[in-house]
């Protein structure tokens, strides 16, 4: 069998007394067998090095440092016990304890990861060295799909090398599963059963009070240690709740014409949502690995990962819209007692038709200036990830090794986006119910704290509340990747280059989006607000004639319960909770509610798109093992050449009469579109080198350079060109959305990393200081051209849809003007992103007695950037703003304590400073700043025997809210609370 030569640096560090950690969990020790991805791993004769075994959480921390110490790139890692050491629902929570790594919380759980100030789209992810696709179509993997219990080690590569798959400008996250042949024991079995309780979920009708997490794993060696089997199962059922106030973005309006002394320019929000999102997450996952080593020179591994994730989410609460109609002098909406601050309207009393002189829906001449709805929306998702790989390694001779790897990854997600709305009528039992105009609302924002909101009406009164609207806008996404790679490692025997690596990788990736629409009635705006009658021309006497009626549903008492938001937002107005299926079956039992693609809503046709990406990459890499001025130097240098072809197949608008005759799901024909494929090809060359200097036995200096790229999200490469006819307060505007394009190029950067590492001698631990810089060459960005002249640009505008030709209230023909043209471009200005990272880890075994079990793991990072993008935050008027996801300061800290191999306790906190992100409101994302947040977790465990352990832990100990604002902290965005979750259970190993 080929014996890879230990490097000079490796031998010197081992001689210094390196400690190794061994951890008793399903996730076992990292492989020391050489691969193309980890060319510095070595085999050490046990007689050469004394191995000191350190167990428990302390051992896992030191093991993670060992991974960093021996890596030939800038890398951070967490090992098995570290992953399982805190109440981590997914691997994302675990990774946020590494320097410069932060997460975005979705419904209280970490999902998207940000590294060094760059968002998840710039983070590349692999499982056992293979590319992973996302269930949602983006490049950023949904890490909540990966149970922390089934991952044995995770590494974050912050510098690139030629042998790594390209794509990680921010970093590459490598997840690894277990290999039973690496265990000392012939058999390992582990069971765990944990329960959890969320205090907020206990008061929510859509959530169970208790959840559970069950894990079972087995690892065994057979046939004289030539066959290894590893299998793990993880099941999670967890209630989730978020109580939230979501303010809509502020727009600049003129109140001088509607109010005496009113300002000509003031920021006014159009409304807000006050709701509680309740539900349950259920995840079932399995990982399987089969290892076969029939000879010393031949190794095979087949592994499979599958995860099914169902997230049931129900939004129940109150929605208010139309507050910006106070700018209209003819509006029936009156504002009194206005509260103004920092150029914005922050509150007041809003009265709908206070003089009772305006008709209310469903009358033909009705006004809908302030709309109040209660919601029962289904925002559930069903997603799955399936990946498999087959790898073979052959030591052709003592110098040459070949690796062949086949990989497949696929994911799909269905987001329901089903809408059910209720409105307040004068009398719900009337033959023709009329919206009650007597609604007075008083509210006042309180910056980053909870606002005051009150109404004069009771939205739980079944004598007034009726169901008005049922809608569905599903998103169905499929994403897949197939790849094959062949790598060679050739060992040399000289004083400078230890080995040469070379390889080729060919991959195909596909993404498909499918859309549809169902709506009972006329259109969403009318139905939600009680305009359920369609009128024809007036009769001979001038009276309106009714052509169609979509009668609202009077809610029986047995189908509804009165509820309100609990927790920190308790005291807000109440609302009804209903069973959507029962309501729809009673209201519209014979209506086909299947979402359809329709030409009169052409986005359902044009957004259904397929994107393909074919990539061929070759690389060559030299691995360094030398001495310079008597200093051991290791590392690598190389280059990766990549040829990319990307294309999109979908509908292209060529104008009426110029296209093919195509039919929608109803059989309606259109000749404005052709189905075509468009795309582009390009070639990139990515050089890289990494140098590691062993200054002393305990000190290292690293230098790394690489040219890197991050590809656009698959959905961003779809051909697009969707026209929208938007009726707004100040006119009717035609908007064109072309914010995706198959011609968009990757994000490019040149990056440099310099780090110093000192490893303690008298105790276990290290101090690390790093500086880094990314020089961004190309930053694809979205540009919005207001009042764009389509005719002058040669862009043909399609005919006005039938339901947009006439005002449904007055019957007058609508006049349409040029609106916003949104498009994506390659040439957004770049600049630098740079920062520092400081890490300190130490076990205090030098302290006397019981205090020797103390330890600490502290990380801090600071990031700054000169890159500025036109801000979409209301009130900033496209002024230069920061890039999304960049938090200037991020830190994490864990204080841990182990005693007598029996008792263990730790407290962990992670903090990120404010950053620019996106909040979700009125079904769309809105740009907003997010306030700083600190998440605290704690855990204790006790080992009753060598096999039996009990665990008690708390996540989000301080119930930290997620808070956003629009430019100024007085302009509230989102305030949401998730509650604290308590975990308890047992672990058993044998």
């Amino acid at each position: 069998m080929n014996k890879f030569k230990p490097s000079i640096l490796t031998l010197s560090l081992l001689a210094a007394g390196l400690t190794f950690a061994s951890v008793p969990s399903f996730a076992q020790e990292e492989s020391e067998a050489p691969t193309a991805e980890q060319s510095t791993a070595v085999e050490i004769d046990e007689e050469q090095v004394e191995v000191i075994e350190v167990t428990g959480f302390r051992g896992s921390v030191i093991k993670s440092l060992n991974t960093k110490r021996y890596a030939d790139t800038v890398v951070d890692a967490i090992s098995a016990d570290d992953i399982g050491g805190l109440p981590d629902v997914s691997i994302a929570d675990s990774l946020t304890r590494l320097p410069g790594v932060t997460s975005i919380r979705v419904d209280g759980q970490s999902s998207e990861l940000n590294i060094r100030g760059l968002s998840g789209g710039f983070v590349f992810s692999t499982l056992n060295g293979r590319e992973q696709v996302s269930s949602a179509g983006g490049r950023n993997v949904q890490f909540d799909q990966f149970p922390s219990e089934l991952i044995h080690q995770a590494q974050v590569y912050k510098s690139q090398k030629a042998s790594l798959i390209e794509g990680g400008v921010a970093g590459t996250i490598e997840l690894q599963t277990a290999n039973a042949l690496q265990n000392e024991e012939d058999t390992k079995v582990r069971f765990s059963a944990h329960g959890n309780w969320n205090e907020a979920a206990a008061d929510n009708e859509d959530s169970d009070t208790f959840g559970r997490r069950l894990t079972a794993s087995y690892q065994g060696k057979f046939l004289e240690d030539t066959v290894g089997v590893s299998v793990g199962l993880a099941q999670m059922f967890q209630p989730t709740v978020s109580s939230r106030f979501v303010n809509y973005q502020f727009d600049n309006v003129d109140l001088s014409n509607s109010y005496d002394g009113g300002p000509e320019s003031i920021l006014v929000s159009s409304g807000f949502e006050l709701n509680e999102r309740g539900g349950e997450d259920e995840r079932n996952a399995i990982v399987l690995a089969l290892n076969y080593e029939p000879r010393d020179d031949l190794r095979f591994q087949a592994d499979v990962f599958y995860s099914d994730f169902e997230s049931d989410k129900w939004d129940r609460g109150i929605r208010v819209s139309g507050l910006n109609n106070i700018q209209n002098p003819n509006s029936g909406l009156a504002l009194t007692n206005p509260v103004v601050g920092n150029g914005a309207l922050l509150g007041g009393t809003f009265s709908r038709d206070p003089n009772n002189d305006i008709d209310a829906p469903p009358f033909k001449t009705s006004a809908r200036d302030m709309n109040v709805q209660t919601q029962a929306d289904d925002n559930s998702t069903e997603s799955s990830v399936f990946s498999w790989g087959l790898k073979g390694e052959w030591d052709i001779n003592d110098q040459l090794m070949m690796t062949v790897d086949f990989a497949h990854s696929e994911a799909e997600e269905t987001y329901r986006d089903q809408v059910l709305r209720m409105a307040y009528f004068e009398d719900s039992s009337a033959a023709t119910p009329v919206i009650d105009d007597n609604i007075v609302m008083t509210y006042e924002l309180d910056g980053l704290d909870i606002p005051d909101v009150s109404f004069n009406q009771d939205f739980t009164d079944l004598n007034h509340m009726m169901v008005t609207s049922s809608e569905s806008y599903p998103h169905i996404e499929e994403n897949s990747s197939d790849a094959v790679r062949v790598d060679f490692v050739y060992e040399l025997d000289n004083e400078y280059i230890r080995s040469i690596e070379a390889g080729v990788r060919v991959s195909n990736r596909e993404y498909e989006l499918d859309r549809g629409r169902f709506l009972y009635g006329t259109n969403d705006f009318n139905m939600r607000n009680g305009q359920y009658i369609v009128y024809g021309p007036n009769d001979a006497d001038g009276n309106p004639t009714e052509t169609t009626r979509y009668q609202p549903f009077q809610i029986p008492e047995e189908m509804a319960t009165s509820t309100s938001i609990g927790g920190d937002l308790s005291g807000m107005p109440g609302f009804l909770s209903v069973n959507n299926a029962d309501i729809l079956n009673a209201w519209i039992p014979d209506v086909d509610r299947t979402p359809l693609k329709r030409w009169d809503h052409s986005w359902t046709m044009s957004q259904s798109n397929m994107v393909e990406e074919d990539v061929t990459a070759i690389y060559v890499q030299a691995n360094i093992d030398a001495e310079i001025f008597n200093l051991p130097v290791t590392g690598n240098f190389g280059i990766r050449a990549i040829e990319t072809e990307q294309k999109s197949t979908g509908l292209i608008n060529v104008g009426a009469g110029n296209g093919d005759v195509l039919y929608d799901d109803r059989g309606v024909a259109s000749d404005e579109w052709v189905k075509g494929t468009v795309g582009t090809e390009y070639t990139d060359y990515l050089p890289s080198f990494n140098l590691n200097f062993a200054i002393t036995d305990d000190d290292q200096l690293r230098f790394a350079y690489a040219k890197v790229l991050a590809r656009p999200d698959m959905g961003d490469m779809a051909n697009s060109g969707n026209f929208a006819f938007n009726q707004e307060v100040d006119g009717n505007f035609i908007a064109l959305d072309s914010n995706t394009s198959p011609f968009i190029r990757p994000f490019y950067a040149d990056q440099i990393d310099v780090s110093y590492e000192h490893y303690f001698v008298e105790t276990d631990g290290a101090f690390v200081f790093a500086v880094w810089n990314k020089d961004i060459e190309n930053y694809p960005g979205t540009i919005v051209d207001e009042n764009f002249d389509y005719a002058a640009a040669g862009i043909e505008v399609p005919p006005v849809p039938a339901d947009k030709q006439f005002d449904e209230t007055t019957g007058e023909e609508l006049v349409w003007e040029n609106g916003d043209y949104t498009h994506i471009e390659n040439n957004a200005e770049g600049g630098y992103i740079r920062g520092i990272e400081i890490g300190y880890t130490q076990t205090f075994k030098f302290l006397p007695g019981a205090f020797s079990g103390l330890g600490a793991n502290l990380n801090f990072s600071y990031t700054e950037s000169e890159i500025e993008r036109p801000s979409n935050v209301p009130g900033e008027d496209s002024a230069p703003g920061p890039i999304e996801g960049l938090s200037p300061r991020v830190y994490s800290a864990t204080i841990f304590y182990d005693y007598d191999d029996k008792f263990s306790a730790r407290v962990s906190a992670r903090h990120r400073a404010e950053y620019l992100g996106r909040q979700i409101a009125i079904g769309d994302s809105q740009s907003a700043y997010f306030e700083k947040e600190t998440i605290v977790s704690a855990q204790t465990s006790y080992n009753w025997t060598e096999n039996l352990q009990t665990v008690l832990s708390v996540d989000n100990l301080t119930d930290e809210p997620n808070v956003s604002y629009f430019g100024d902290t007085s302009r509230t965005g989102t305030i949401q609370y998730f509650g604290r979750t308590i975990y308890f259970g047992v672990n058993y190993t044998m």
Side-chain angles (χ1 to χ4, degrees):
M1 179 178 179
N2 183 23
K3 301 292 186 181
F4 285 90
K5 180 184 67 176
S7 70
I8 297 172
L9 174 59
T10 300
L11 291 174
S12 65
L13 291 174
L14 287 168
L18 174 67
T19 59
F20 287 82
S22 176
V23 289
S25 69
F26 167 66
Q28 300 302 320
E29 296 177 11
E30 181 184 5
S31 170
E32 292 182 352
T35 69
E37 290 295 334
Q38 295 176 300
S39 60
T40 60
V42 295
E43 295 182 5
I44 305 298
D45 191 327
E46 293 182 359
E47 296 180 358
Q48 293 180 307
V49 181
E50 178 185 3
V51 177
I52 303 172
E53 183 173 305
V54 183
T55 60
F57 186 78
R58 175 199 300 244
S60 69
V61 170
I62 302 307
K63 182 182 177 184
S64 298
L65 284 179
N66 291 340
T67 301
K68 181 179 184 67
R69 191 173 190 177
Y70 281 118
D72 60 348
T73 62
V74 180
V75 66
D76 289 298
I78 50 177
S79 66
D81 267 11
D82 195 8
I83 292 171
L86 286 171
D88 298 329
V89 175
S90 73
I91 194 65
D93 290 309
S94 305
L95 289 166
T96 57
R97 296 197 293 278
L98 294 176
V101 181
T102 59
S103 68
I104 292 178
R105 289 193 290 171
V106 177
D107 296 325
Q109 307 298 333
S110 297
S111 181
E112 177 186 322
L113 290 175
N114 300 170
I115 300 177
R116 288 183 166 179
L118 289 172
S119 60
F122 303 105
V123 177
F124 189 73
S125 301
T126 59
L127 178 65
N128 295 327
R130 306 181 183 105
E131 180 181 12
Q132 294 298 292
V133 299
S134 165
S135 59
R139 298 286 179 180
N140 53 308
V141 168
Q142 272 65 50
F143 286 95
D144 51 8
Q145 286 276 8
F146 295 88
S148 59
E149 303 95 328
L150 299 186
I151 303 299
H152 104 274
Q153 189 176 63
Q155 299 181 12
V156 177
Y157 290 90
K158 295 178 178 177
S159 67
Q160 190 78 1
K161 58 182 178 180
S163 59
L164 282 176
I165 304 174
E166 73 283 351
V169 167
T172 296
I173 296 176
E174 160 69 348
L175 307 180
Q176 298 174 1
T177 56
N179 180 350
L181 294 181
Q182 296 169 10
N183 297 336
E184 294 183 2
E185 301 88 347
D186 289 335
T187 303
K188 285 191 174 183
V189 180
R190 177 184 173 95
F191 301 97
S192 66
H194 293 188
N196 61 74
W197 177 80
N198 182 289
E199 59 179 348
D203 298 325
N204 184 271
E205 296 184 8
D206 296 306
S207 304
D208 276 356
T209 301
F210 289 94
R212 64 184 179 273
R213 292 174 67 186
L214 307 174
T215 306
S217 64
Y218 169 84
Q219 295 179 74
K221 296 189 292 186
F222 305 93
L223 300 179
E224 298 181 345
D225 295 350
T226 61
V227 175
V229 177
S230 302
V231 60
L233 303 170
Q235 198 273 343
M236 180 196 74
F237 175 83
Q238 179 162 301
T240 63
V241 167
S242 61
S243 304
R244 55 191 185 174
F245 172 86
V246 182
N247 204 31
Y248 299 161
Q249 68 181 32
F250 288 75
D251 296 310
N252 196 16
V253 303
D254 181 358
L255 299 183
S256 63
N257 295 321
S258 51
Y259 292 89
D260 291 336
E264 294 183 358
S265 177
I266 187 172
L267 292 169
V268 176
S269 171
S270 61
F272 61 84
E273 300 174 19
L274 184 65
N275 63 36
E276 189 166 68
R277 169 171 286 188
E280 296 150 351
D281 291 340
E282 184 169 2
R283 181 185 61 207
N284 296 284
I286 181 172
V287 60
L288 172 67
L290 301 176
N291 295 86
Y292 178 49
E293 299 184 6
R295 305 196 308 257
D296 287 347
D297 63 349
L298 195 60
R299 298 169 294 278
F300 297 97
Q301 176 169 326
D303 50 77
V304 175
F305 175 85
Y306 176 78
S307 177
D308 178 83
F309 197 105
E310 293 187 13
S311 181
D312 291 332
K313 295 290 183 292
W314 295 89
D315 291 355
R316 304 191 189 277
I318 299 173
R319 294 169 62 114
V320 177
S321 62
L323 300 185
N324 54 350
N325 284 323
I326 58 174
Q327 67 182 302
N328 184 354
N330 300 318
S331 170
L333 180 61
L335 169 66
T336 56
N337 305 316
V339 179
V340 178
N342 299 322
L345 180 66
L346 305 179
T349 298
F350 293 80
S351 302
R352 189 164 70 180
D353 191 18
N355 300 321
N356 197 28
D357 55 4
I358 298 178
D359 287 339
F363 295 115
K364 185 175 182 178
T365 57
S366 66
R368 286 148 282 169
D369 295 316
M370 181 176 75
N371 305 299
V372 182
Q373 311 158 16
T374 61
Q375 62 183 134
D377 297 347
D378 183 357
N379 286 297
S380 301
T381 58
E382 299 175 4
S383 58
S384 64
V385 174
F386 173 66
S387 301
W388 62 262
L390 177 63
K391 181 173 69 173
E393 294 179 352
W394 178 30
D395 299 331
I396 299 174
N397 54 44
D398 287 345
Q399 287 76 42
L400 181 62
M401 183 181 76
M402 179 177 72
T403 301
V404 179
D405 191 281
F406 298 90
H408 173 78
S409 179
E410 64 181 66
E412 59 183 30
E413 179 173 288
T414 299
Y415 168 45
R416 294 177 192 165
D417 196 6
Q418 295 177 354
V419 174
L420 187 76
R421 297 293 164 78
M422 293 161 276
Y424 191 89
F425 287 79
E426 293 177 354
D427 181 1
S428 62
S429 64
T432 301
V434 178
I435 287 287
D436 193 336
D437 265 350
N438 181 26
I439 290 184
V440 179
M441 180 198 70
T442 299
Y443 91 114
E444 183 175 348
L445 302 179
D446 192 16
L448 304 180
D449 293 321
I450 299 170
D452 293 324
V453 180
S454 64
F455 293 90
N456 67 325
Q457 303 290 11
D458 179 8
F459 298 115
T460 67
D461 189 344
L462 294 178
N463 294 318
H464 297 276
M465 298 301 298
M466 303 185 75
V467 177
T468 59
S469 179
S470 173
E471 309 159 33
S472 182
Y473 309 95
H475 304 237
I476 302 172
E477 299 181 79
E478 296 181 358
N479 207 347
S480 66
S481 173
D482 291 285
V484 59
R485 62 181 296 176
V486 180
D487 299 278
F488 294 90
V489 179
Y490 186 77
E491 294 291 316
L492 301 175
D493 187 12
N494 65 53
E495 298 180 356
Y496 305 102
I497 305 300
R498 182 181 176 216
S499 62
I500 299 292
E501 295 184 40
V504 58
R505 178 178 183 268
V506 179
S507 67
N508 168 265
R509 186 162 177 170
E510 295 183 355
Y511 166 77
E512 188 168 4
L513 173 65
D514 193 25
R515 296 301 311 274
R517 174 186 183 271
F518 163 77
L519 185 144
Y520 178 66
T522 54
N523 61 55
D524 54 359
F525 180 76
N526 285 343
M527 294 301 297
R528 294 179 186 184
N529 298 298
Q531 189 65 40
Y532 57 88
I533 295 177
V534 179
Y535 293 95
N538 291 348
D539 61 18
D541 297 326
N543 298 314
T545 59
E546 179 180 328
T547 61
T548 311
R549 173 182 290 233
Y550 301 93
Q551 185 81 4
F553 180 67
Q554 184 179 9
I555 307 169
E557 185 175 353
E558 65 271 14
M559 288 190 181
T561 58
S562 176
T563 188
S564 62
I565 300 176
D568 293 272
L569 271 69
S570 60
M572 292 291 183
F575 46 88
L576 289 176
S577 175
V578 299
N579 184 298
N580 292 32
D582 290 346
I583 291 287
L584 295 177
N585 289 334
W587 180 29
I588 47 176
D590 299 324
V591 174
D592 184 358
R593 300 193 291 272
T594 303
L596 302 176
K597 296 179 174 63
R598 303 165 56 112
W599 283 123
D600 56 348
H601 297 277
S602 60
W603 58 268
T604 62
M605 304 287 290
S606 61
Q607 287 186 18
S608 298
N609 216 297
M610 173 176 281
V611 179
E612 297 177 81
E613 178 184 86
D614 294 305
V615 178
T616 300
I618 60 173
Y619 77 92
V620 61
Q621 175 180 301
N623 298 313
I624 302 169
D625 187 3
E627 283 193 6
I628 300 178
F629 302 115
N630 295 321
L631 293 180
V633 180
T634 59
N636 55 71
F637 62 91
I639 189 169
R640 191 174 185 92
I642 307 130
E643 183 178 274
T644 303
E645 179 185 6
Q646 59 194 38
K647 54 190 177 182
S648 172
T649 301
L651 296 179
I652 303 171
N653 193 319
V654 293
N658 299 321
D660 299 330
V661 178
L662 302 173
Y663 297 88
D664 66 10
D665 287 344
R666 303 169 303 158
V668 176
S670 172
D671 59 5
E672 300 175 35
W673 305 75
V674 295
K675 188 171 185 178
T677 300
V678 292
T680 186
E681 299 181 19
Y682 53 90
T683 302
D684 294 299
Y685 300 93
L686 307 180
S688 63
F689 66 86
N690 296 269
L691 296 176
N692 311 316
F693 298 89
I695 302 173
T696 70
D697 290 342
D698 306 305
D699 299 272
Q700 292 189 65
L701 182 66
R702 297 182 185 269
F703 178 83
Y705 162 79
K707 185 178 180 63
V708 293
L709 64 80
R711 303 183 190 279
D713 284 349
M714 295 294 288
D716 287 345
M717 295 190 295
N719 57 29
S720 63
N722 302 307
F723 283 94
F725 293 79
N726 301 320
Q727 294 174 266
E728 301 176 8
V729 174
D730 53 348
N732 305 311
F733 299 96
I734 304 172
L736 174 58
D737 183 1
S738 295
N739 65 350
T740 64
S741 170
F743 301 102
I744 199 69
R745 295 287 294 273
F747 177 109
Y748 295 104
D750 290 284
Q751 64 181 32
I752 294 175
D753 289 81
V754 180
S755 64
Y756 165 73
E757 303 168 8
H758 172 72
Y759 294 88
F760 302 136
V761 178
E762 300 300 328
T763 182
D764 298 320
F767 170 80
V768 179
F769 180 85
V771 295
W772 55 272
N773 183 88
K774 298 180 188 290
D775 186 14
I776 309 302
E777 295 181 10
N778 177 51
Y779 197 117
T782 299
I783 299 173
V784 179
D785 294 325
E786 298 180 351
N787 303 319
F788 187 79
D789 191 336
Y790 300 112
I795 299 176
E796 183 174 351
V797 177
V800 179
D803 62 345
K804 299 286 188 178
Q805 294 179 1
F806 299 93
D807 188 298
E808 293 187 350
T809 301
T810 65
E812 297 178 355
E813 185 175 0
L814 296 175
V815 177
W816 294 93
E817 306 174 53
N818 289 326
D820 295 343
Y821 173 37
T822 304
H823 52 107
I824 193 167
E825 299 290 347
N826 277 312
N827 299 319
E829 186 176 354
Y832 67 74
I833 304 175
R834 61 192 181 193
I836 63 171
E837 292 176 351
I838 303 173
Y840 166 73
T841 300
Q842 187 162 18
T843 60
F844 301 110
K845 64 181 183 181
F846 54 84
L847 294 176
F851 294 103
S852 62
L854 284 170
N857 182 21
L858 311 176
N859 298 296
F860 171 80
S861 66
Y862 174 79
T863 304
E864 65 178 20
S865 175
E866 68 173 352
I867 299 176
E868 294 180 326
R869 307 289 300 126
S871 175
N872 293 319
V873 176
E876 296 190 340
D877 300 323
S878 298
I883 59 176
E884 290 189 2
L886 192 152
S887 290
R889 290 167 298 281
V890 174
Y891 69 74
S892 64
T894 300
I895 306 299
F896 56 91
Y897 178 74
D898 293 328
Y899 178 72
D900 195 29
D901 291 334
K902 292 284 188 181
F903 176 76
S904 180
R906 66 216 67 156
V907 177
S908 180
R910 63 180 190 266
H911 169 90
R912 73 178 301 178
E914 62 280 352
Y915 64 96
L916 178 65
R918 292 185 176 271
Q919 70 168 36
I920 302 298
I922 53 177
D924 200 1
S925 63
Q926 298 179 345
S927 189
Y929 293 95
F930 283 78
E931 176 67 349
K932 60 186 179 182
E933 64 179 19
T934 303
I935 313 299
V936 181
S937 301
Q939 182 185 55
T940 62
S941 63
Y942 188 81
N943 298 323
W944 298 92
T945 68
E946 291 184 356
N947 307 106
L948 181 63
Q949 180 188 64
T950 55
V951 179
L952 175 65
S953 57
V954 183
D955 189 29
N956 195 19
L957 185 63
T958 60
D959 192 14
E960 183 80 349
N962 184 242
V963 179
S964 68
Y965 56 93
F966 294 111
D968 188 280
T969 55
S970 64
R971 300 196 287 269
T972 311
T974 295
I975 299 175
Q976 55 182 336
Y977 288 85
F978 307 106
R980 58 182 60 84
T981 303
I982 299 174
Y983 297 86
F984 47 89
V986 297
N987 302 321
Y988 187 80
T989 59
M990 54 185 294

